[in-house]
Amino acid sequence: MTINRHLEEFHGLPAFDFPAADGTSSRAASLPAPETVAWRIAVDAYDSKEQWEDAFARFLTAVDTQRVRALIVGAWSDVYDNGPDAVIEALVAARDRLPALRGLFLADIVMEECEVSWIVQGDVSPLLEAFPALEEFGVRGGSQLVFPAVRHERLRSLTVEAGGMPVGAVRGIAGSDLPALVALDLWLGTSEYGGDADVADLEPFFAGTRLPSLSRLGLRNSEIQDDICGALASAPVVARLEDLDLSMGVLTDDGATALLSGQPLTHLKKLDLHHNYLSAALRTRLLETLEPAGVLVDVDQDDAESDEEEDGTVWRFVAVGE
């Protein structure tokens, strides 16, 4: 989980901060070869003397962008009030200057700059349309996120990190044709912060027919984690997965029991269930069932905590909400 610190690497490359306009960056003296790093372009989220698109214009001048393979969009000005429309427009306008771009992450913004559920997003599909050779795409923030159904021939990895992912965006991704996609990671979140999808909206992921290359699936950080596990118990997509990530959500013994009672999971290389509300007996059962088959199982409870009201009502929480 990376929302508390900036990305240290992306698309297999170390992250490098493009120097600020005033030259205060400690690494401003020299720039690396364009293809050797993932370039992070950001401005001060609160008191910027420069707009993000101005910083990007400097980047286009200072770097041989024909060789750039990965870009990380950091904070833009007044990120807590403004969406990334101008950022997206600037990137799309520069498409011909970035022919080698294969990795793009939108909103590498940490909590000191803006809480994840307060990051205002927008329609991100123009980025996929502008960069048909893109292989990895990541987005942080679910507020006002728009992700209509698209077809993209080359995309291999798609990540959306949110405290609440709107149902329209979930349905858009579910309806997308992504024949090359190997890894899908969606943080569905909680209804309190706009995560209003239900298990029926996830059915295309369970079927997997639009994702013929998928081998790593993450449907996590969800308050309906038990329902997701119940559906996955008989989902066709599971048989061809190597990694299944159902972590960070409100997973109880009901959901884990449904998984164990369904189709075999012993073909998996990894099953990630960390941040859970499982009993010790259920955690032991998972380990004893799957580890002998060579499955790496993470059932660490981490910081998952329940709150109990005086009337006996128990409240459980996803790992990333606000």
Side-chain angles (χ1 to χ4, degrees):
M1 192 166 59
T2 59
I3 64 166
N4 294 326
R5 64 181 188 275
H6 289 118
L7 293 172
E8 296 176 358
E9 66 173 22
F10 178 62
H11 198 59
L13 299 169
F16 181 88
D17 291 301
F18 182 68
D22 58 9
T24 58
S25 170
S26 62
R27 292 182 286 187
S30 62
L31 297 177
E35 69 277 11
T36 62
V37 298
W39 295 87
R40 178 165 38 237
I41 303 168
V43 299
D44 191 315
Y46 294 97
D47 187 25
S48 178
K49 298 178 176 61
E50 182 179 36
Q51 298 294 310
W52 188 94
E53 47 271 35
D54 295 327
F56 183 59
R58 288 193 300 105
F59 168 78
L60 294 175
T61 300
V63 175
D64 180 3
T65 57
Q66 298 287 318
R67 297 157 57 194
V68 169
R69 295 188 55 80
L71 283 177
I72 300 169
V73 175
W76 49 87
S77 299
D78 299 328
V79 67
Y80 42 86
D81 286 330
N82 299 322
D85 291 353
V87 171
I88 292 173
E89 289 175 6
L91 288 165
V92 170
R95 71 179 90 183
D96 293 336
R97 302 183 65 176
L98 293 161
L101 189 68
R102 298 295 181 269
L104 177 60
F105 192 96
L106 179 64
D108 179 27
I109 296 168
V110 298
M111 60 187 302
E112 289 81 6
E113 296 166 323
C114 186
E115 298 281 2
V116 63
S117 289
W118 295 93
I119 299 171
V120 180
Q121 279 293 347
D123 186 352
V124 299
S125 61
L127 294 172
L128 293 172
E129 295 167 0
F131 298 100
L134 205 64
E135 296 175 355
E136 183 170 3
F137 183 50
V139 180
R140 182 173 297 161
S143 178
Q144 301 182 41
L145 176 66
V146 176
F147 201 126
V150 298
R151 181 173 178 86
H152 197 288
E153 300 288 344
R154 300 283 295 277
L155 197 67
R156 292 177 54 82
S157 177
L158 174 60
T159 299
V160 180
E161 301 175 350
M165 189 172 171
V167 65
V170 173
R171 290 174 179 170
I173 296 173
S176 295
D177 289 310
L178 304 170
L181 198 74
V182 173
L184 176 65
D185 185 12
L186 303 181
W187 298 13
L188 298 168
T190 172
S191 56
E192 184 177 1
Y193 292 104
D196 52 352
D198 61 33
V199 71
D201 299 309
L202 307 176
E203 177 56 37
F205 302 129
F206 303 144
T209 52
R210 290 190 173 92
L211 305 171
S213 301
L214 195 71
S215 63
R216 299 192 296 274
L217 175 62
L219 297 172
R220 53 183 179 143
N221 195 50
S222 177
E223 62 186 4
I224 60 167
Q225 210 71 60
D226 282 350
D227 293 337
I228 292 171
C229 287
L232 284 168
S234 59
V237 72
V238 172
R240 54 184 168 86
L241 295 179
E242 295 181 357
D243 293 356
L244 178 59
D245 192 339
L246 305 171
S247 64
M248 298 170 54
V250 182
L251 175 64
T252 72
D253 284 8
D254 290 342
T257 299
L259 275 180
L260 287 172
S261 301
Q263 62 188 304
L265 301 174
T266 51
H267 65 286
L268 294 174
K269 292 182 178 179
K270 183 177 181 181
L271 175 63
D272 193 342
L273 305 175
H274 81 268
H275 182 96
N276 60 72
Y277 297 90
L278 301 179
S279 66
L282 214 299
R283 292 200 302 276
T284 298
R285 183 182 168 195
L286 280 161
L287 294 171
E288 291 180 347
T289 300
L290 298 176
E291 282 193 332
V295 183
L296 179 62
V297 183
D298 186 346
V299 288
D300 189 349
Q301 286 187 308
D302 289 339
D303 297 323
E305 296 181 357
S306 301
D307 287 345
E308 185 172 352
E309 301 284 354
E310 291 183 0
D311 62 1
T313 301
V314 177
W315 298 96
R316 299 184 175 98
F317 307 96
V318 300
V320 177
E322 184 177 13

